[in-house]
């Protein structure tokens, strides 16, 4: 019988090395469970993976589902002792949206007014009256030097309106601090970029009545800090054409019902310095230190479900400003969650300890959490069997182990093993910039017999050509069949979005069809003049199933199409960086939903402006269908438009769905409250080890 060591020390085998523990930079399941233990959010995940109050004790939602007002608690503290307030939440939004921070997480609040336009550098706030435009008007850049923004070459971005030379020596410091407390200096003539001004609708007030500016210094990895605004000189000369945004995109503006008809405003030529890029152009408002407001352009019934995510997990301005890429240092990191960072040995382990400053001391049952960064499934599982860790993160068991532990060979499943449904889809990305022929992409999709995959992986995966995950329709209850409007013999899966209320049936994808595969390939050869691009399929190392799938796909594409596709494996962090940068032709990936909503969770990364659009795909028809869904409050009508958009995406094949994930967990029988839920959002800090586990049986 296994024995319990320290009942308040959980040893957890993670699925690899975290790419970051910064909520603005982390994107993968390898990082996020640790991020959520370190940093509090407006809401956090409960044991079912659903949002529950945390920094926000309550919230109000307007009748039109466009304004969400969060009321923050007054007893939350950073680990350095400073109170957490609504300005910290606004600062996190600035971090994920402003290009200087290079965050890939802006799509986490895509529905918020003007969020993605701000990411693209298009939003401005008028600083003075120019023609019909009054100071304070929210405008969007339409032209640069007479050239429409849509026609600007990739190497000619929209010029910043916020660059300023220093007309006096600048001392970058915390807001209100004396110049003697500066942590960086800028000589006269040096250039900084304004990000915030005190006293604006989403920025903190001036502490001393003077105007302060929060600026970015592009030096090394970058630095940020507050300076006195009157120490900044005039902006460089540039001409922009801007137009006032339509009323529904104006933050703080209440619209009548029905809203006014959209009338496109005229383009007005202004000097770049007449308008600044500020967060107040986005639907973010801070009425006071304990009230935070998000406004969306259109009805957004799922917005509260977005709030436990990394986008709204505040980070401490004073730490980030000094070292925006290196501020997370063991023993020094300023955190807000139930745990704090005490050690990080790269490619070995991350160690967290209970935080004495967290407002809810009762929730954290652990004193210590050691997360082993094992970038290899076999090593992770073997370390578990050898007693090295108490639990293995979901989907970190080699495929070859399943026949033994799931009872396929022995007839009895291993006691510590728990399989469970998972809200995730495994697929192959196709880089549409490098594989730019749609017929070639369709040929690749039609050539794959997905029914073989569960036999290769032995994990009960659900083969699918649909993109949005769900439950096999054949296994739905009679009530859910009626809700979804399907019969039991309907092929495919359906997503139950709200029990008894809402169902989404994804459109069919490009399933296995050898004849169609060959026909599409013939069309591709004709359009490409007989020469097909060289293609390599990439996957990350350490996961046995990725290699097995890669080899199967390589064989299928050779057997069905006669194509020679190379294979290349990469270490996880390199793989993540290369796929984000577009340095690939074909690559395995997965998408795990935080909650069951395909519009918010699964299709968002295929929007043209998404910072995490790894397929580099942009389709006007898809964009239009997604936009058409936005103003619809009726969920059924909204989902019909979303289904249309997903169908367009599948036909264009920037992604090749392969199977719906299942979760596979190993946990010692003495582990308690390490919850298993559909989105695999686990509050690690709530777990503990029960020394008396045998007295209560093995039920956990």
């Amino acid at each position: 019988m296994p024995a319990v060591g320290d009942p308040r020390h959980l040893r957890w085998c993670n699925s690899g090395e975290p790419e970051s523990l910064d909520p603005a930079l982390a994107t993968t399941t390898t990082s996020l469970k640790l991020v959520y233990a370190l940093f509090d959010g407006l809401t956090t995940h409960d044991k079912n993976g659903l949002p529950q109050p945390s920094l926000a004790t309550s919230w109000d939602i307007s009748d039109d589902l466009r304004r969400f007002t969060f009321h923050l608690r007054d007893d939350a503290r950073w680990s350095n002792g400073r109170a957490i307030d609504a300005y910290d939440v606004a600062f996190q939004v600035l971090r994920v949206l402003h290009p200087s921070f290079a965050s890939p997480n802006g799509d986490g609040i895509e529905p918020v007014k003007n969020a993605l336009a701000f990411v693209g550098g298009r939003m401005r706030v008028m600083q003075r009256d120019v023609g019909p435009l009054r100071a304070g008007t929210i405008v969007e850049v339409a032209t640069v030097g007479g050239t429409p923004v849509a026609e600007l070459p990739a190497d000619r971005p929209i010029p910043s309106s916020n660059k300023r030379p220093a007309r006096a020596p600048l001392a970058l410091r915390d807001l209100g601090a004396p110049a003697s407390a500066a942590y960086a200096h800028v000589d006269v003539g040096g250039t900084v970029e304004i990000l915030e001004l005190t006293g604006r609708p989403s920025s903190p007030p001036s502490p001393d009545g003077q105007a302060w500016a929060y600026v970015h210094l592009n030096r090394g990895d970058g630095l940020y800090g507050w300076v006195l605004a009157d120490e900044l000189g005039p902006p460089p000369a540039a001409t922009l054409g801007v137009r006032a945004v339509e009323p529904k995109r104006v933050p703080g503006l209440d619209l009548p019902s029905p809203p006014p008809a959209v009338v496109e405003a005229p383009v007005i030529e202004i000097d770049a310095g007449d308008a600044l890029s500020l967060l107040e152009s986005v639907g973010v408002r801070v009425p006071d230190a304990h009230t935070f407001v998000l406004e969306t352009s259109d009805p957004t019934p799922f917005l509260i479900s977005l709030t436990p995510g990394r986008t709204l997990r505040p980070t401490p301005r004073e730490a980030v400003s000094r070292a925006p890429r290196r501020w997370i240092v063991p023993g020094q990191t300023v955190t807000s969650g139930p745990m704090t960072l005490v050690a990080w040995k790269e490619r070995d382990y991350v160690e967290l300890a209970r935080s004495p400053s967290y407002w809810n001391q009762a929730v954290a049952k652990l004193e210590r959490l050691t997360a082993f960064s094992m970038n290899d499934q076999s090593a992770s599982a073997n370390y578990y069997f050898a007693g090295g860790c108490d639990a293995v993160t979901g989907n970190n068991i080699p495929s070859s182990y399943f026949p033994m532990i799931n009872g396929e060979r022995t007839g009895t499943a291993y006691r510590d093993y728990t399989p469970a449904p998972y809200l995730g889809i495994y697929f192959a990305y196709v880089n549409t910039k490098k594989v730019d022929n749609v017929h070639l992409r369709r040929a690749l999709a039609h050539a794959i017999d997905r029914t073989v995959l569960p036999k290769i992986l032995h994990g009960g995966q659900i083969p699918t050509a649909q993109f949005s995950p769900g439950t096999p329709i054949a296994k739905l209850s009679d009530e859910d069949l009626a809700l979804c409007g399907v019969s039991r013999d309907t092929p495919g899966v359906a997503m139950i979005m709200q029990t008894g209320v809402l169902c989404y049936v994804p459109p069919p994808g490009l399933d296995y069809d050898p004849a169609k595969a060959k026909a599409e390939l013939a069309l591709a050869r004709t359009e490409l003049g007989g020469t097909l691009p060289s293609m390599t399929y990439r996957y990350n190392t350490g996961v046995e199933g990725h290699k097995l799938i890669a080899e199967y796909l390589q064989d299928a594409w050779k057997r069905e199409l006669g194509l020679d596709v190379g294979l290349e494996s990469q270490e996880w962090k390199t793989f993540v960086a290369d796929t984000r940068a577009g340095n690939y032709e074909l690559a395995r990936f997965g998408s795990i939903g935080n909650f069951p909503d395909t519009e918010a969770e699964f299709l968002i990364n295929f929007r043209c402006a998404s910072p995490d659009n790894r397929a580099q795909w942009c389709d006007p028809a898809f964009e239009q269908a997604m936009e058409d869904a936005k103003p619809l409050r009726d969920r059924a009508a909204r989902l019909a438009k979303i289904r249309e958009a997903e169908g367009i995406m599948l036909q264009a094949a920037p992604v090749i769905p392969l199977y719906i994930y299942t979760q596979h967990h190993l946990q010692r029988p003495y582990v308690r409250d390490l919850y298993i839920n559909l989105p695999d959002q686990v509050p690690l800090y709530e777990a503990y080890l029960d020394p008396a586990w045998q007295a209560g049986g093995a039920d956990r």
Side-chain angles (χ1 to χ4, degrees):
M1 290 289 187
V4 175
D6 181 350
R8 306 197 74 178
H9 178 202
L10 177 68
R11 302 165 304 159
W12 183 62
C13 282
N14 198 0
S15 56
E17 174 72 16
E19 80 277 10
S20 176
L21 294 177
D22 182 340
L25 301 177
T27 63
T28 69
T29 54
T30 304
S31 297
L32 290 177
K33 292 182 181 68
L34 299 176
V35 167
Y36 295 161
L38 292 169
F39 297 96
D40 205 358
L42 288 176
T43 65
T44 57
H45 300 103
D46 68 10
K47 66 180 182 180
N48 296 312
L50 301 174
Q52 63 180 347
S54 197
L55 285 177
T57 58
S58 62
W59 47 85
D60 305 315
I61 303 174
S62 63
D63 291 341
D64 63 1
L65 302 178
R66 287 187 172 100
R67 180 174 290 133
F68 302 79
T69 303
F70 298 88
H71 306 286
L72 274 59
R73 62 177 57 256
D74 58 11
D75 58 347
R77 295 285 184 274
W78 293 105
S79 56
N80 63 5
R82 180 173 68 82
I84 301 172
D85 58 30
Y87 299 111
D88 290 314
V89 187
F91 175 66
Q92 177 66 0
V93 175
L94 177 68
R95 287 196 69 207
V96 300
L97 294 183
H98 197 280
S100 70
F101 289 103
S103 170
N105 294 331
D107 51 15
I109 52 169
E110 184 270 344
V112 171
K113 290 180 179 180
N114 306 318
L116 292 189
F118 186 89
V119 172
R122 303 195 303 274
M123 300 309 301
R124 300 288 189 274
V125 182
M126 295 298 299
Q127 299 301 293
R128 69 181 187 89
D129 297 349
V130 178
L133 300 174
R134 304 292 94 187
T137 301
I138 308 297
V139 297
E140 185 168 15
V141 178
T143 63
V144 177
T147 302
V149 167
E151 298 176 13
L152 291 176
D155 60 352
R156 186 185 166 195
I158 299 172
S160 171
S161 301
N162 295 34
K163 297 287 181 68
R164 295 289 188 275
R167 68 179 186 183
L170 300 180
L172 271 64
R173 60 229 200 233
D174 295 328
L175 181 59
S180 60
Y183 48 82
H185 293 85
V186 181
D187 294 334
V188 173
T191 300
V192 296
E193 182 179 15
I194 298 171
L195 273 66
E196 287 188 80
L197 297 171
T198 51
R200 311 296 291 199
S202 53
S203 297
S206 171
D208 55 12
Q210 300 184 84
W212 291 74
Y214 185 69
V215 300
H216 171 229
L217 174 62
N218 190 13
R219 178 191 296 169
D221 286 342
L223 286 168
Y224 299 82
W226 291 97
V227 300
L228 293 173
D230 62 9
E231 296 173 339
L232 302 176
T239 301
L240 299 176
V242 301
R243 61 162 55 97
V245 300
E246 61 183 292
K248 75 171 187 175
R249 294 175 58 193
V250 177
L253 183 64
D254 290 315
L255 297 179
S257 184
V262 176
V263 178
E264 189 171 88
V267 175
I268 307 296
E269 291 288 324
I270 66 169
D271 292 332
D274 292 336
L276 287 178
S277 174
L278 298 172
L279 189 62
E280 68 188 82
S281 65
V282 176
V284 174
R285 291 292 180 267
V286 183
D288 59 64
H290 291 97
T291 309
F292 179 75
V293 180
L294 288 176
E295 297 180 354
T296 61
S297 296
D298 298 290
T300 309
F302 54 80
L303 188 128
I304 298 301
S305 295
L306 296 175
T307 57
R310 53 200 180 269
T311 303
L312 294 170
R313 299 266 176 163
T315 47
R317 188 193 297 256
E318 58 269 41
V320 172
S321 297
R322 289 163 168 79
R325 292 289 179 272
R326 297 186 175 90
W327 66 276
I328 297 195
V329 178
Q332 301 178 37
T333 298
V334 179
T335 58
S336 60
M339 310 203 80
T340 191
L341 180 67
V342 294
W344 187 353
K345 304 295 184 183
E346 192 167 348
R347 292 182 175 83
D348 190 353
Y349 67 89
V350 175
E351 187 153 293
L352 310 185
R354 182 190 183 93
S355 173
S357 60
Y358 185 57
W359 62 269
N360 187 5
Q361 287 294 303
V363 74
K365 300 166 188 167
L366 292 179
E367 290 291 342
R368 194 154 51 114
L369 167 68
T370 302
F372 296 104
S373 306
M374 295 194 172
N375 196 28
D376 183 273
Q377 286 182 316
S378 295
S380 183
N382 291 342
Y383 196 56
Y384 176 87
F385 291 130
C389 57
D390 305 301
V392 174
T393 186
N395 293 316
N396 207 25
I397 305 169
S399 301
S400 57
Y401 287 29
F402 284 134
M404 288 297 295
I405 65 174
N406 66 12
E408 188 176 321
R409 276 188 199 160
T410 63
T412 303
Y414 181 54
R415 175 199 60 197
D416 294 3
Y417 170 64
T418 303
Y422 201 10
L423 187 62
I425 180 76
Y426 188 105
F427 54 83
Y429 267 132
V430 186
N431 186 339
T432 59
K433 297 294 185 186
K434 296 186 176 183
V435 186
D436 60 358
N437 185 275
V438 67
H439 297 295
L440 178 55
R441 299 198 298 267
R442 289 175 184 165
L444 294 171
H446 279 306
I448 301 165
D449 181 2
R450 295 157 177 83
T451 62
V452 176
L453 297 176
K455 302 172 187 175
I456 295 173
L457 300 174
H458 300 282
Q461 294 82 4
I462 303 166
T464 184
Q466 295 168 295
F467 182 69
S468 293
T471 303
I473 289 174
K475 295 183 178 181
L476 292 177
S477 67
D478 290 342
E479 293 78 11
D480 285 342
L481 288 173
L483 177 67
C484 299
V486 295
S487 59
R488 199 168 297 282
D489 58 356
T490 302
V493 302
M495 178 189 291
I496 305 300
M497 295 174 59
Q498 191 174 349
T499 303
V501 177
L502 199 62
C503 172
Y504 176 72
V505 180
L510 305 177
D511 217 334
Y512 179 54
D513 190 322
K516 284 185 179 178
K518 291 179 174 62
E520 292 285 356
L521 185 65
L523 288 171
R525 288 188 188 279
T526 299
E527 292 184 358
L528 294 172
T531 303
L532 300 179
S534 174
M535 293 181 289
T536 296
Y537 179 91
R538 296 193 187 190
Y539 61 96
N540 55 290
T541 57
V543 179
E544 182 181 77
H546 296 340
K547 183 175 185 292
L548 295 174
I549 291 171
E551 291 170 346
Y552 172 71
L553 295 178
Q554 182 187 50
D555 177 71
W557 288 327
K558 178 66 173 178
R559 183 179 63 255
E560 301 289 356
L561 300 173
L563 297 178
D564 292 312
V565 176
L567 301 181
E568 182 179 345
S569 61
Q570 293 181 299
E571 185 270 334
W572 173 243
K573 291 177 74 172
T574 304
F575 175 79
V576 170
D578 274 1
T579 51
R580 180 174 296 135
N583 298 326
Y584 76 99
E585 293 85 43
L586 306 167
R588 63 83 28 193
F589 225 85
S591 183
I592 309 300
N594 296 301
F595 57 98
D597 190 303
T598 195
E599 176 185 3
E601 291 288 277
F602 294 98
L603 296 188
I604 189 67
N605 288 339
F606 296 93
R607 299 298 302 263
C608 297
S610 169
D612 204 26
N613 187 344
R614 295 174 194 261
Q616 302 192 55
W617 179 70
C618 181
D619 187 299
F622 174 83
E623 292 291 308
Q624 189 60 56
M626 293 289 284
E627 287 297 313
D628 289 346
K630 283 186 172 182
L632 303 176
R633 294 180 63 187
D634 180 88
R635 296 305 303 274
R638 190 181 184 108
L639 289 178
K641 276 294 176 184
I642 294 303
R643 192 174 193 273
E644 178 185 332
E646 186 170 358
I648 292 168
M649 185 269 287
L650 286 169
Q651 289 301 311
V655 61
I656 302 172
L658 296 172
Y659 65 80
I660 295 169
Y661 280 108
T662 47
Q663 298 182 61
H664 304 278
H665 295 263
L666 290 171
Q667 290 186 20
R668 301 289 179 199
Y670 52 69
V671 173
R672 297 285 186 264
D673 294 352
L674 188 60
Y675 306 114
I676 297 173
N677 53 48
L678 183 63
D680 193 29
Q681 294 295 347
V682 183
L684 293 169
Y685 45 85
E686 292 193 25
Y688 69 100
L689 280 56
D690 183 3
W693 68 275
Q694 294 183 65
D699 181 22
R700 57 177 181 273

